[in-house]
Amino acid sequence: MKTLYGSTPEEIETIVLAQGLPKYRAAQLLEWVYQKNILAWDEMRNIPQDAREKLAQAIPLTALAPVEEKKAVTGGSEKFLFRTADGHFLESVLISQEGEAAAPGNRQTVCVSTQLGCKVHCAFCASGQGKFLRNLTAGEIVEQVSRISRMTKKKITNVVFMGMGEPLDNFEATLKAIRILIASWGFALGARRITVSTSGITPKILEFVKSTEGRVRLSVSLHSSMDAVRSSLVPMNRRYPLKELVSALRRIHRDLKREITFEYTLIAGVNDSEEEVEGVAILAKPLRAKINVIPYNPIAEFPHQAPTPEAAEKFCSQLEKHGLRVTLRKTAGRDIDAACGQLRLDRMSHR
Ligand code: SAH
Ligand code: SF4
């Protein structure tokens, strides 16, 4: 479904002109949606009511309805549930990081979903269980950001494509959403404030980096340095094995001098061996990649355990000994499954 959210200046202009309205109304509409994040036509105060009525007949403004908001007990992140116009549910997360005295600054990151379900079906991921329903539209992607900003009265500073779904498997809508998030007529976020996380569809990564001129941050879900292990976790690895993936990333690193992050979901007894530390170091060092270690958040369908905090620390410090930059994601919000990448399509009975 086409909505005003998700439309480009050219598309909005076409709608405006088709309604017999002056062209400058298009610029006003852009500002109302992407900069002021309004969610109802009658909030557009500088557009006369008859013009608003015409426009409302021509195109719906929004595609999502808020369902509920859950606050993480441990602070740090909040989860939001939305209903799509066709009656499905999707989730997004707000991660608030208040600056400390030594490093002032206030980062408000929205983690957006890009699909209803996910076709990649990683063994450990809640989003990949169950059936894939459909791609989200660019409008549904950017509206998550606007709604969360309005609901929390916070200015969103960063967007990560790490919610439900594989962004590069919904290529066009992801690109369009990024264009809207970056554009000065859109959300005007800096490209470096956008991160796209992918499970590693190698040809799509190359195409994506080309289309975005390497401007947005790229995170690649690695999870293992060994093909057999990685294939058991990310089935797509059989099609795009590590060698191919890593050589594509080397090309990107060499040509664009851009930093790449590897995400590594650490699972006790599965991918936390010393052999993995060595293997990850061999892959990551030439790329000067940063490693973001995410302790496994257990799901019933994948009966393995999270590493102990000590084991996770040890894995990280061993990687650091190789001269790699490593971050260990805290599991704030675990009590409500709020961390990105752990969103589940299990609200079908929520109607
Ligand atoms: N599809 C993309 C982005 C969404 S998943 C991707 O796979 O990269 C975002 C991150 O959350 C991925 O690195 C994923 O491996 C991680 N993740 C998914 N389920 C998890 C779980 N149960 N525990 C810890 N991390 C998980
Ligand atoms: Fe899809 Fe990412 Fe989950 Fe894998 S980890 S199933 S790619 S959302």
Side-chain angles (χ1 to χ4, degrees):
M1 183 178 73
K2 248 191 161 349
T3 53
L4 201 59
Y5 271 98
S7 297
T8 60
E10 304 81 54
E11 289 167 335
I12 295 183
E13 212 174 283
T14 307
I15 296 162
V16 163
L17 296 177
Q19 299 312 307
L21 299 170
K23 202 170 145 182
Y24 69 87
R25 295 280 177 224
Q28 291 176 324
L29 288 173
L30 276 173
E31 195 180 333
W32 282 118
V33 289
Y34 299 136
Q35 264 138 46
K36 303 222 165 72
N37 296 157
I38 57 99
L39 298 167
W41 290 102
D42 57 15
E43 288 185 82
M44 301 183 185
R45 290 187 308 272
N46 59 359
I47 300 182
Q49 197 183 340
D50 60 332
R52 291 197 308 246
E53 278 166 11
K54 276 188 189 166
L55 290 164
Q57 293 290 324
I59 187 168
L61 176 60
T62 62
L64 302 177
V67 180
E68 66 181 319
E69 176 191 347
K70 279 189 183 179
K71 283 207 188 294
V73 184
T74 45
S77 51
E78 289 167 66
K79 186 166 81 167
F80 299 82
L81 181 67
F82 300 109
R83 192 177 43 241
T84 62
D86 55 350
H88 299 302
F89 293 90
L90 69 104
E91 292 175 321
S92 328
V93 180
L94 174 71
I95 305 145
S96 296
Q97 291 158 301
E98 311 296 338
E100 302 189 352
N106 179 334
R107 190 189 284 201
Q108 303 293 338
T109 305
V110 172
C111 171
V112 293
S113 290
T114 54
Q115 298 181 311
L116 297 172
C118 181
K119 284 186 258 175
V120 183
H121 298 305
C122 298
F124 53 83
C125 174
S127 308
Q129 313 298 316
K131 74 171 201 287
F132 170 81
L133 291 176
R134 68 165 170 86
N135 284 330
L136 294 182
T137 63
E140 287 168 326
I141 297 172
V142 299
E143 198 182 317
Q144 297 170 51
V145 180
S146 298
R147 287 206 175 260
I148 291 179
S149 179
R150 282 292 292 263
M151 286 161 99
T152 61
K153 300 190 174 60
K154 284 180 175 159
K155 169 140 183 54
I156 305 308
T157 60
N158 295 66
V159 175
V160 293
F161 287 68
M162 290 188 191
M164 188 186 298
E166 166 51 53
L168 301 191
D169 185 38
N170 183 10
F171 200 82
E172 292 307 322
T174 293
L175 270 190
K176 193 174 182 193
I178 290 172
R179 183 177 164 215
I180 295 168
L181 292 170
I182 293 175
S184 53
W185 49 258
F187 289 75
L189 291 176
R192 307 304 290 161
R193 290 175 174 271
I194 315 266
T195 302
V196 169
S197 173
T198 176
S199 53
I201 312 176
T202 306
K204 294 272 182 196
I205 295 178
L206 288 167
E207 198 184 333
F208 177 76
V209 170
K210 221 167 126 197
S211 308
T212 54
E213 293 160 352
R215 289 166 69 215
V216 302
R217 291 184 190 271
L218 182 67
S219 246
V220 177
S221 292
L222 187 66
H223 311 318
S224 176
S225 60
M226 292 179 255
D227 273 317
V229 178
R230 191 166 191 270
S231 296
S232 73
L233 298 174
V234 186
M236 208 181 43
N237 187 71
R238 292 193 189 96
R239 207 152 147 216
Y240 305 114
L242 280 165
K243 196 163 170 243
E244 220 176 281
L245 173 65
V246 172
S247 77
L249 297 178
R250 285 202 182 147
R251 261 166 51 208
I252 292 167
H253 176 69
R254 190 193 58 212
D255 297 347
L256 294 162
K257 312 264 172 300
R258 284 305 193 191
E259 177 181 277
I260 289 160
T261 298
F262 278 135
E263 281 162 284
Y264 200 99
T265 295
L266 193 64
I267 311 162
V270 173
N271 61 358
D272 59 349
S273 65
E274 292 197 7
E275 202 184 345
E276 286 280 21
V277 172
E278 300 302 316
V280 172
I282 289 169
L283 298 182
K285 269 189 97 167
L287 292 167
R288 302 167 71 90
K290 198 174 97 185
I291 322 282
N292 184 23
V293 175
I294 313 167
Y296 171 50
N297 190 20
I299 62 165
E301 295 90 338
F302 190 65
H304 288 275
Q305 281 170 0
T308 62
E310 298 73 38
E313 291 282 355
K314 189 173 164 211
F315 190 81
C316 293
S317 67
Q318 283 178 324
L319 285 172
E320 279 167 349
K321 281 193 194 126
H322 284 276
L324 293 164
R325 281 168 309 141
V326 185
T327 51
L328 178 59
R329 190 196 281 180
K330 300 208 179 66
T331 45
R334 187 176 200 158
D335 13 10
I336 58 156
D337 292 348
C340 287
Q342 280 146 218
L343 306 178
R344 181 187 285 270
L345 193 62
D346 65 353
R347 302 302 191 100
M348 306 311 288
S349 55
H350 206 283
R351 279 160 224 239

